[in-house]
Amino acid sequence: MHAIIDVGSNSVRLMLGSGERTLSKSIATTRLGEGLAVTGRLSEKRIADTLEAINIFIDKAVSFGVSLENVFIFATESVRSASNGGDFASAVYELSGIKIDVVGGELEAKLGFNGAYSGGAVAAVVDIGGASTEITVGDADGIIYSCSRPIGCVRIRDRCGEDEGAITEYVDDVISSYGDIPNVYRAVFVAGTASTVAMMCLEEDVYDASKVQDLYVTKDRLCELTAIVKNTPLSIRSNIKGLPEKRSDIIYGGMALVKAILERLGLDGFYFSDRDNLEGYRDHIRKEGRLKD
């Protein structure tokens, strides 16, 4: 048995697994990256919330029979870019005795691709997080393009609110910095923004990986849902089927980013994958010999 904890900019996630199998996934929304785009630092309140979530997940893993040496924690953009990211990493170690692995943007992109790519023609795997977005292109022979940029649903909210013009300008500027992206036949999106869009398409409030895995979302349907979100006051936005309350204030910017990426890739829709960087990280540490179960 093993446990892998992903410390993201918007949420902390736990994956319990055995061998190559994923047994369950859990999520806690802690907004670690909130305000980072403005201050360059992680707030003390969000650090405390995230440490609490990590502690709860470690206890859960141990209760399922996972030994502490088989509990792994990795973090992404919010920790690697924050001026006090090192202090956060130290706090995690003091709390748990586990050294957190702060992965770089290139490795983060690789983890997402390896977790989500399921074979076939050249595909793009897109991981929209709270503070960064990775676009990785490859096929069965390997990765041919990979790029991470510091933009995500929380950063967009912090910088632009829901000002459509400001979001468009910000997103277009960052999208242009991805450079020449190879032509792809399909796009597979992972992580919270894409999963929320998938759940809204299904009008399901309870997440079920078996229902959303490989779900295809057209760009037209995405635009319809974006308009619904935009025209629904924030105070009642969580009444939209499939939209969790804790994502209701950040989803609009995230959906705008999804649309912009699809247009950049020249595609009319995307597939969603529940398999993502958690599975990718498991493969990574197994190849390094750190995970043995």
Side-chain angles (χ1 to χ4, degrees), residues 10-12 27-32 46 49 53 246-247 250:
N10 188 61
S11 58
V12 180
I27 187 170
T29 300
T30 64
R31 295 280 175 90
L32 180 62
R46 295 310 183 187
D49 291 345
K246 290 185 176 181
R247 282 197 171 271
I250 59 173

Side-chain angles (χ1 to χ4, degrees), residues 137-154:
V137 177
D139 57 19
D141 293 326
I143 293 171
I144 59 177
Y145 167 92
S146 181
C147 188
S148 175
R149 289 290 181 261
I151 187 173
C153 53
V154 176

Side-chain angles (χ1 to χ4, degrees), residues 82-96:
S83 61
N84 58 340
D87 295 336
F88 173 78
S90 297
V92 171
Y93 184 77
E94 290 175 10
L95 170 75
S96 65

Side-chain angles (χ1 to χ4, degrees), residues 102-124:
V102 182
V103 303
E106 183 177 343
L107 177 55
E108 183 178 359
K110 182 179 180 181
L111 297 178
F113 183 84
N114 289 344
Y117 179 71
S118 58
V122 176

Side-chain angles (χ1 to χ4, degrees), residues 32-44 81-84 87:
L32 180 62
E34 186 172 68
L36 179 63
V38 178
T39 67
R41 294 177 57 83
L42 306 174
S43 76
E44 295 303 316
S81 67
S83 61
N84 58 340
D87 295 336

